[in-house]
Amino acid sequence: MNESLRAIWQELGIAEAILAEKRLCIYEEATALVDVETGLDGRVWQLTVEAAAAWRAMQAAAAGDGVTLRIASAYRATARQGELIRRKLDAGQPLSTILQVLAPPGCSEHHTGRAVDVFSPGGPVVEEAFEQTPAFAWLQAHASQFGFTLSFPRDNRYGYVYEPWHWCYQPPAQV
Ligand SMILES: [Zn+2]
């Protein structure tokens, strides 16, 4: 853990022991990012070059099957993750509760620029009900062909809530 990350954790009151307890890892923050899509609120979502290409290919294939996939969240900086946790702390939520839905700064797959939160227009956004949508059924059947996997299935080993919307692109293994 580098010094700037350690400072963020200290400010939020997150103990380093949580890394071992929750079996978390520190993700390298993406550096080279490309714009992928603009949300309804005007935010521009970014991914790494490779993940963006895989996402576009998957999105096009889904569209060919009549399924519209859109991004609710993509790359997120470590500092931004800290701000999101700080906001919930300031609203009075206990840290342990917050960390069931938000990874500690540095530990979110969104830092890698390879993770996307997916929704389909008109359907639930970042809610478990996404599991009931045709978009989720399509992803379960086809996402792996594009290198995307579901990171947090039910009863996952990180103790995170089930996130049917969160998919991460893993680059093909280097030979
Ligand atoms: Zn996510």
Side-chain angles (χ1 to χ4, degrees):
M1 185 178 301
N2 65 40
E3 283 311 310
S4 67
L5 190 55
R6 182 164 286 135
I8 294 174
W9 279 42
Q10 276 172 0
E11 192 277 323
L12 295 169
I14 304 173
E16 284 186 39
I18 202 174
L19 278 174
E21 276 165 24
K22 289 198 166 206
R23 284 178 266 181
L24 299 173
C25 61
I26 305 286
Y27 291 103
E28 190 117 344
E29 200 160 327
T31 47
L33 295 157
V34 292
D35 294 351
V36 179
E37 167 167 329
T38 304
L40 295 175
D41 61 356
R43 283 184 70 169
V44 177
W45 298 115
Q46 298 182 308
L47 292 170
T48 65
V49 175
E50 262 193 322
W55 166 258
R56 290 195 183 103
M58 183 165 78
Q59 196 177 37
D65 290 340
V67 173
T68 304
L69 302 181
R70 296 295 308 273
I71 293 176
S73 187
Y75 168 73
R76 193 185 301 150
T78 300
R80 170 77 182 148
Q81 188 80 2
E83 288 167 18
L84 294 174
I85 293 173
R86 167 50 60 197
R87 191 178 300 171
K88 286 178 182 283
L89 283 172
D90 290 348
Q93 286 192 37
L95 185 63
S96 58
T97 304
I98 298 168
L99 294 181
Q100 282 169 18
V101 292
L102 286 173
C107 299
S108 169
E109 269 187 343
H110 287 284
H111 302 325
T112 66
R114 292 184 285 104
V116 280
D117 292 340
V118 184
F119 75 103
S120 203
V125 181
V126 190
E127 289 172 30
E128 192 173 312
F130 179 70
E131 175 189 45
Q132 309 297 334
T133 64
F136 181 72
W138 191 93
L139 286 164
Q140 277 212 306
H142 304 287
S144 64
Q145 296 160 29
F146 300 90
F148 284 89
T149 52
L150 188 66
S151 299
F152 307 112
R154 277 206 170 81
D155 304 318
N156 59 76
R157 68 194 185 102
Y158 306 100
Y160 287 135
V161 296
Y162 171 46
E163 295 193 358
W165 58 85
H166 179 111
W167 296 76
C168 190
Y169 171 74
Q170 304 290 347
Q174 303 288 315
V175 180

Coordinates of all heavy atoms in Angstrom, one line a residue, residues 39-107:
G39 N -23.4 9.1 -19.9 CA -24.6 8.8 -19.2 C -25.6 9.9 -19.3 O -25.3 10.9 -19.9
L40 N -26.8 9.6 -18.9 CA -27.9 10.5 -19.0 C -27.6 11.8 -18.3 O -28.1 12.9 -18.7 CB -29.2 9.9 -18.5 CG -29.8 8.7 -19.2 CD1 -31.0 8.1 -18.5 CD2 -30.1 9.1 -20.7
D41 N -26.8 11.8 -17.2 CA -26.5 13.0 -16.5 C -25.3 13.7 -17.0 O -24.8 14.6 -16.5 CB -26.2 12.6 -15.0 CG -25.0 11.6 -14.8 OD1 -24.5 11.2 -15.8 OD2 -24.7 11.3 -13.7
G42 N -24.8 13.2 -18.2 CA -23.7 13.9 -18.9 C -22.3 13.4 -18.4 O -21.3 13.8 -19.0
R43 N -22.3 12.5 -17.5 CA -21.0 11.9 -17.1 C -20.4 11.0 -18.2 O -21.2 10.2 -18.8 CB -21.1 11.1 -15.8 CG -21.2 12.0 -14.6 CD -21.2 11.2 -13.3 NE -19.9 10.6 -13.0 CZ -19.6 10.0 -11.9 NH1 -20.5 10.0 -10.9 NH2 -18.5 9.5 -11.7
V44 N -19.1 11.1 -18.4 CA -18.5 10.3 -19.4 C -17.8 9.1 -18.7 O -17.0 9.3 -17.9 CB -17.4 11.1 -20.2 CG1 -16.7 10.3 -21.2 CG2 -18.1 12.3 -20.9
W45 N -18.2 7.9 -19.1 CA -17.6 6.7 -18.6 C -16.4 6.3 -19.4 O -16.4 6.3 -20.6 CB -18.7 5.6 -18.5 CG -19.8 6.0 -17.6 CD1 -21.1 6.2 -18.0 CD2 -19.8 6.3 -16.2 NE1 -21.9 6.5 -16.9 CE2 -21.1 6.6 -15.8 CE3 -18.7 6.2 -15.2 CZ2 -21.4 6.9 -14.5 CZ3 -19.1 6.6 -13.9 CH2 -20.3 6.9 -13.6
Q46 N -15.4 5.9 -18.6 CA -14.1 5.5 -19.3 C -13.7 4.1 -18.9 O -14.0 3.6 -17.8 CB -13.0 6.4 -18.8 CG -13.2 7.9 -19.2 CD -12.0 8.7 -18.8 OE1 -11.6 8.7 -17.7 NE2 -11.5 9.5 -19.8
L47 N -13.0 3.4 -19.8 CA -12.4 2.1 -19.6 C -11.1 2.1 -20.2 O -10.7 3.0 -21.0 CB -13.3 1.0 -20.2 CG -14.7 0.8 -19.6 CD1 -15.5 -0.1 -20.5 CD2 -14.6 0.2 -18.2
T48 N -10.3 1.0 -19.9 CA -9.0 0.8 -20.6 C -9.3 0.6 -22.1 O -10.4 0.2 -22.4 CB -8.2 -0.3 -20.0 OG1 -8.9 -1.6 -20.3 CG2 -8.0 -0.2 -18.5
V49 N -8.3 0.7 -22.9 CA -8.5 0.5 -24.3 C -9.0 -0.9 -24.6 O -10.0 -1.1 -25.4 CB -7.1 0.7 -25.1 CG1 -7.3 0.4 -26.6 CG2 -6.6 2.1 -24.9
E50 N -8.4 -1.9 -24.0 CA -8.8 -3.3 -24.2 C -10.3 -3.5 -23.7 O -11.1 -4.2 -24.4 CB -7.9 -4.2 -23.4 CG -6.8 -4.8 -24.2 CD -6.1 -6.0 -23.5 OE1 -6.0 -5.8 -22.2 OE2 -5.8 -7.0 -24.1
A51 N -10.5 -3.1 -22.5 CA -11.9 -3.3 -22.0 C -12.9 -2.6 -22.8 O -14.0 -3.1 -23.0 CB -11.9 -2.9 -20.5
A52 N -12.6 -1.4 -23.3 CA -13.5 -0.6 -24.1 C -13.9 -1.3 -25.4 O -15.0 -1.4 -25.8 CB -12.9 0.8 -24.4
A53 N -12.9 -1.9 -26.0 CA -13.1 -2.6 -27.2 C -14.0 -3.9 -27.0 O -14.9 -4.2 -27.7 CB -11.8 -3.1 -27.9
A54 N -13.7 -4.6 -25.9 CA -14.5 -5.8 -25.5 C -15.9 -5.4 -25.2 O -16.9 -6.0 -25.6 CB -13.8 -6.5 -24.3
W55 N -16.1 -4.2 -24.5 CA -17.4 -3.8 -24.1 C -18.2 -3.4 -25.4 O -19.4 -3.8 -25.5 CB -17.3 -2.5 -23.2 CG -18.6 -1.8 -23.1 CD1 -19.0 -0.7 -23.7 CD2 -19.8 -2.2 -22.4 NE1 -20.3 -0.3 -23.4 CE2 -20.8 -1.3 -22.6 CE3 -20.1 -3.3 -21.5 CZ2 -22.1 -1.4 -22.0 CZ3 -21.3 -3.4 -21.0 CH2 -22.3 -2.5 -21.2
R56 N -17.6 -2.7 -26.3 CA -18.3 -2.3 -27.5 C -18.7 -3.5 -28.3 O -19.8 -3.6 -28.9 CB -17.4 -1.4 -28.4 CG -17.2 0.0 -27.7 CD -16.6 1.0 -28.8 NE -16.4 2.3 -28.1 CZ -15.2 2.7 -27.8 NH1 -14.1 2.0 -28.0 NH2 -15.1 3.9 -27.2
A57 N -17.8 -4.5 -28.4 CA -18.1 -5.8 -29.1 C -19.3 -6.5 -28.5 O -20.2 -6.9 -29.2 CB -16.9 -6.7 -29.2
M58 N -19.3 -6.5 -27.1 CA -20.4 -7.2 -26.4 C -21.7 -6.4 -26.6 O -22.7 -7.0 -26.8 CB -20.0 -7.3 -24.9 CG -21.0 -8.1 -24.1 SD -20.4 -8.6 -22.5 CE -20.4 -7.1 -21.6
Q59 N -21.6 -5.1 -26.5 CA -22.8 -4.3 -26.6 C -23.4 -4.4 -28.0 O -24.6 -4.5 -28.1 CB -22.4 -2.8 -26.4 CG -23.5 -1.8 -26.1 CD -22.9 -0.4 -25.9 OE1 -21.9 0.0 -26.5 NE2 -23.5 0.3 -24.9
A60 N -22.6 -4.5 -29.0 CA -23.1 -4.7 -30.4 C -23.7 -6.0 -30.6 O -24.8 -6.2 -31.2 CB -21.9 -4.5 -31.4
A61 N -23.1 -7.1 -30.0 CA -23.7 -8.4 -30.1 C -25.0 -8.5 -29.4 O -26.0 -9.1 -29.9 CB -22.7 -9.5 -29.5
A62 N -25.1 -7.8 -28.2 CA -26.4 -7.8 -27.5 C -27.4 -7.1 -28.3 O -28.6 -7.6 -28.4 CB -26.2 -7.1 -26.1
A63 N -27.1 -6.0 -28.8 CA -28.0 -5.2 -29.6 C -28.5 -6.0 -30.8 O -29.7 -6.0 -31.1 CB -27.3 -3.9 -30.2
G64 N -27.7 -6.9 -31.4 CA -28.1 -7.8 -32.4 C -29.1 -8.8 -32.0 O -29.9 -9.3 -32.8
D65 N -29.1 -9.0 -30.7 CA -30.1 -9.9 -30.1 C -31.3 -9.2 -29.5 O -32.1 -9.7 -28.8 CB -29.5 -10.8 -29.0 CG -28.5 -11.9 -29.6 OD1 -28.6 -12.2 -30.8 OD2 -27.6 -12.3 -28.8
G66 N -31.3 -7.9 -29.7 CA -32.4 -7.1 -29.2 C -32.3 -6.6 -27.8 O -33.3 -6.2 -27.2
V67 N -31.1 -6.7 -27.2 CA -30.9 -6.3 -25.8 C -30.0 -5.1 -25.8 O -28.9 -5.1 -26.3 CB -30.2 -7.5 -25.1 CG1 -29.8 -7.1 -23.7 CG2 -31.1 -8.7 -25.0
T68 N -30.4 -4.0 -25.1 CA -29.7 -2.8 -25.0 C -28.9 -2.8 -23.7 O -29.5 -2.9 -22.6 CB -30.6 -1.6 -25.0 OG1 -31.3 -1.6 -26.2 CG2 -29.8 -0.3 -25.0
L69 N -27.6 -2.7 -23.8 CA -26.7 -2.7 -22.6 C -26.1 -1.3 -22.5 O -25.6 -0.7 -23.5 CB -25.5 -3.7 -22.7 CG -25.9 -5.2 -22.9 CD1 -24.6 -6.0 -22.9 CD2 -26.8 -5.7 -21.7
R70 N -26.2 -0.7 -21.3 CA -25.7 0.6 -21.1 C -24.8 0.6 -19.8 O -25.0 -0.3 -18.9 CB -26.8 1.7 -20.9 CG -27.6 1.9 -22.2 CD -26.8 2.5 -23.4 NE -26.1 3.7 -23.0 CZ -26.5 4.9 -23.1 NH1 -27.8 5.1 -23.4 NH2 -25.8 5.9 -22.8
I71 N -24.0 1.6 -19.7 CA -23.1 1.7 -18.5 C -23.6 2.6 -17.4 O -24.0 3.7 -17.7 CB -21.7 2.2 -18.9 CG1 -21.0 1.2 -19.8 CG2 -20.8 2.5 -17.7 CD1 -19.6 1.6 -20.4
A72 N -23.7 2.1 -16.2 CA -24.1 2.9 -15.0 C -22.9 3.4 -14.3 O -23.0 4.4 -13.6 CB -25.0 2.1 -14.1
S73 N -21.8 2.7 -14.4 CA -20.5 3.1 -13.8 C -19.4 2.3 -14.5 O -19.6 1.2 -14.9 CB -20.6 2.8 -12.3 OG -19.4 3.4 -11.7
A74 N -18.3 3.0 -14.6 CA -17.1 2.3 -15.2 C -15.9 2.6 -14.3 O -15.9 2.4 -13.1 CB -16.9 2.7 -16.6
Y75 N -14.8 3.2 -15.0 CA -13.6 3.6 -14.2 C -14.0 4.6 -13.0 O -14.8 5.5 -13.2 CB -12.6 4.2 -15.1 CG -11.5 4.9 -14.3 CD1 -10.5 4.1 -13.7 CD2 -11.4 6.3 -14.2 CE1 -9.5 4.7 -13.0 CE2 -10.4 6.9 -13.5 CZ -9.4 6.1 -12.9 OH -8.4 6.7 -12.2
R76 N -13.4 4.3 -11.9 CA -13.5 5.2 -10.8 C -12.2 5.4 -10.1 O -11.5 4.4 -9.8 CB -14.5 4.6 -9.8 CG -15.0 5.5 -8.7 CD -15.9 4.8 -7.7 NE -17.1 4.2 -8.4 CZ -17.7 3.1 -8.0 NH1 -17.2 2.4 -6.9 NH2 -18.7 2.6 -8.6
A77 N -11.7 6.6 -9.9 CA -10.4 6.8 -9.2 C -10.5 6.4 -7.8 O -11.5 6.5 -7.1 CB -10.0 8.3 -9.4
T78 N -9.3 6.1 -7.2 CA -9.2 5.7 -5.8 C -9.7 6.9 -4.9 O -10.4 6.7 -4.0 CB -7.7 5.5 -5.5 OG1 -7.3 4.4 -6.3 CG2 -7.5 5.1 -4.0
A79 N -9.3 8.1 -5.3 CA -9.7 9.3 -4.5 C -11.3 9.4 -4.5 O -11.9 9.7 -3.4 CB -9.1 10.5 -5.0
R80 N -11.9 9.2 -5.6 CA -13.3 9.2 -5.7 C -14.0 8.2 -4.8 O -15.0 8.5 -4.2 CB -13.7 9.0 -7.2 CG -15.2 8.9 -7.5 CD -15.9 10.2 -7.4 NE -17.3 10.0 -7.7 CZ -18.3 10.8 -7.1 NH1 -17.9 11.8 -6.4 NH2 -19.5 10.5 -7.3
Q81 N -13.4 7.0 -4.8 CA -13.9 6.0 -3.9 C -13.9 6.4 -2.4 O -14.9 6.2 -1.7 CB -13.1 4.7 -4.1 CG -13.7 3.5 -3.4 CD -14.8 2.8 -4.2 OE1 -15.1 3.2 -5.3 NE2 -15.4 1.8 -3.6
G82 N -12.8 7.1 -2.1 CA -12.8 7.7 -0.7 C -13.8 8.7 -0.5 O -14.5 8.7 0.6
E83 N -14.1 9.5 -1.5 CA -15.2 10.6 -1.3 C -16.6 9.9 -1.1 O -17.4 10.4 -0.3 CB -15.2 11.4 -2.6 CG -14.1 12.4 -2.7 CD -14.0 13.0 -4.1 OE1 -15.0 13.0 -4.8 OE2 -12.9 13.5 -4.5
L84 N -16.8 8.8 -1.8 CA -18.1 8.1 -1.7 C -18.3 7.6 -0.3 O -19.4 7.6 0.3 CB -18.2 7.0 -2.8 CG -18.3 7.5 -4.2 CD1 -18.2 6.3 -5.2 CD2 -19.5 8.3 -4.5
I85 N -17.2 7.0 0.2 CA -17.3 6.5 1.6 C -17.4 7.6 2.6 O -18.2 7.5 3.5 CB -16.0 5.6 1.9 CG1 -16.0 4.4 1.0 CG2 -15.9 5.2 3.4 CD1 -14.8 3.5 1.0
R86 N -16.7 8.7 2.4 CA -16.8 9.8 3.3 C -18.2 10.4 3.4 O -18.7 10.7 4.4 CB -15.8 10.9 2.9 CG -15.9 12.3 3.5 CD -16.0 12.3 5.0 NE -14.8 11.7 5.7 CZ -14.8 11.3 7.0 NH1 -15.9 11.4 7.7 NH2 -13.7 10.8 7.5
R87 N -18.8 10.4 2.2 CA -20.2 11.0 2.1 C -21.2 10.1 3.0 O -22.0 10.6 3.7 CB -20.7 11.0 0.7 CG -22.0 11.8 0.4 CD -22.3 11.8 -1.0 NE -21.3 12.4 -1.9 CZ -21.3 12.4 -3.2 NH1 -22.3 11.7 -3.8 NH2 -20.4 13.0 -3.9
K88 N -21.0 8.8 2.9 CA -21.9 7.9 3.7 C -21.6 8.0 5.2 O -22.5 7.9 6.0 CB -21.8 6.5 3.2 CG -22.4 6.2 1.9 CD -22.2 4.8 1.4 CE -22.9 4.5 0.0 NZ -24.4 4.4 0.1
L89 N -20.3 8.1 5.5 CA -19.9 8.3 6.9 C -20.5 9.6 7.5 O -21.1 9.6 8.6 CB -18.4 8.4 7.1 CG -17.6 7.1 7.0 CD1 -16.1 7.4 6.9 CD2 -17.9 6.1 8.1
D90 N -20.4 10.6 6.7 CA -21.0 11.9 7.1 C -22.5 11.9 7.3 O -23.1 12.6 8.0 CB -20.6 13.0 6.1 CG -19.1 13.4 6.2 OD1 -18.4 12.9 7.2 OD2 -18.6 14.1 5.3
A91 N -23.1 10.9 6.5 CA -24.6 10.8 6.6 C -24.9 9.9 7.8 O -26.1 9.6 8.0 CB -25.1 10.2 5.3
G92 N -23.9 9.4 8.5 CA -24.2 8.7 9.8 C -24.2 7.1 9.6 O -24.5 6.4 10.6
Q93 N -23.8 6.6 8.5 CA -23.8 5.2 8.3 C -22.5 4.6 9.0 O -21.4 5.2 8.8 CB -23.8 4.8 6.8 CG -25.1 5.0 6.1 CD -25.1 4.3 4.8 OE1 -24.5 3.2 4.6 NE2 -25.8 4.9 3.8
P94 N -22.6 3.4 9.6 CA -21.4 2.8 10.2 C -20.5 2.3 9.1 O -21.0 1.8 8.0 CB -21.9 1.7 11.0 CG -23.4 1.7 10.9 CD -23.8 2.7 9.9
L95 N -19.2 2.4 9.3 CA -18.2 2.0 8.3 C -18.4 0.5 7.9 O -18.3 0.2 6.7 CB -16.8 2.1 8.9 CG -15.6 1.9 7.9 CD1 -15.7 2.8 6.8 CD2 -14.3 1.9 8.7
S96 N -18.7 -0.4 8.8 CA -18.9 -1.8 8.5 C -20.0 -2.0 7.5 O -20.0 -2.8 6.6 CB -19.1 -2.6 9.7 OG -20.3 -2.2 10.4
T97 N -21.1 -1.2 7.6 CA -22.2 -1.3 6.7 C -21.8 -0.7 5.3 O -22.1 -1.3 4.3 CB -23.4 -0.5 7.3 OG1 -23.7 -0.9 8.6 CG2 -24.6 -0.6 6.4
I98 N -21.1 0.4 5.3 CA -20.7 1.0 4.1 C -19.8 0.0 3.3 O -19.9 -0.1 2.1 CB -19.9 2.3 4.4 CG1 -20.8 3.3 5.1 CG2 -19.4 2.9 3.1 CD1 -20.1 4.5 5.7
L99 N -18.9 -0.7 4.0 CA -18.0 -1.5 3.3 C -18.6 -2.8 2.8 O -17.9 -3.6 2.2 CB -16.8 -1.8 4.2 CG -15.9 -0.6 4.6 CD1 -14.7 -1.0 5.5 CD2 -15.4 0.1 3.3
Q100 N -19.9 -3.0 3.1 CA -20.6 -4.1 2.4 C -21.0 -3.8 1.0 O -21.3 -4.7 0.2 CB -21.8 -4.6 3.2 CG -21.4 -5.4 4.5 CD -22.6 -5.6 5.4 OE1 -23.8 -5.4 5.0 NE2 -22.3 -5.9 6.6
V101 N -21.1 -2.5 0.7 CA -21.5 -2.1 -0.6 C -20.4 -1.3 -1.4 O -20.4 -1.2 -2.6 CB -22.8 -1.3 -0.6 CG1 -24.0 -2.1 -0.2 CG2 -22.7 0.0 0.3
L102 N -19.4 -0.8 -0.6 CA -18.3 0.0 -1.3 C -17.0 -0.6 -0.8 O -16.8 -0.8 0.4 CB -18.4 1.4 -0.9 CG -19.4 2.3 -1.5 CD1 -19.4 3.7 -0.9 CD2 -19.3 2.4 -3.1
A103 N -16.2 -1.0 -1.8 CA -14.8 -1.5 -1.4 C -14.0 -0.3 -0.8 O -14.3 0.9 -1.2 CB -14.1 -2.0 -2.7
P104 N -13.1 -0.6 0.1 CA -12.2 0.4 0.5 C -11.4 1.0 -0.7 O -11.2 0.3 -1.7 CB -11.2 -0.3 1.4 CG -11.9 -1.6 1.8 CD -12.8 -1.9 0.7
P105 N -11.0 2.3 -0.6 CA -10.3 2.9 -1.7 C -9.1 2.0 -2.1 O -8.4 1.5 -1.2 CB -9.8 4.3 -1.1 CG -10.9 4.6 -0.1 CD -11.3 3.2 0.5
G106 N -8.9 1.8 -3.3 CA -7.8 1.0 -3.8 C -8.2 -0.5 -4.0 O -7.6 -1.2 -4.8
C107 N -9.4 -0.9 -3.4 CA -9.8 -2.2 -3.5 C -11.0 -2.4 -4.4 O -11.6 -3.5 -4.5 CB -10.1 -2.8 -2.1 SG -8.7 -2.8 -1.0

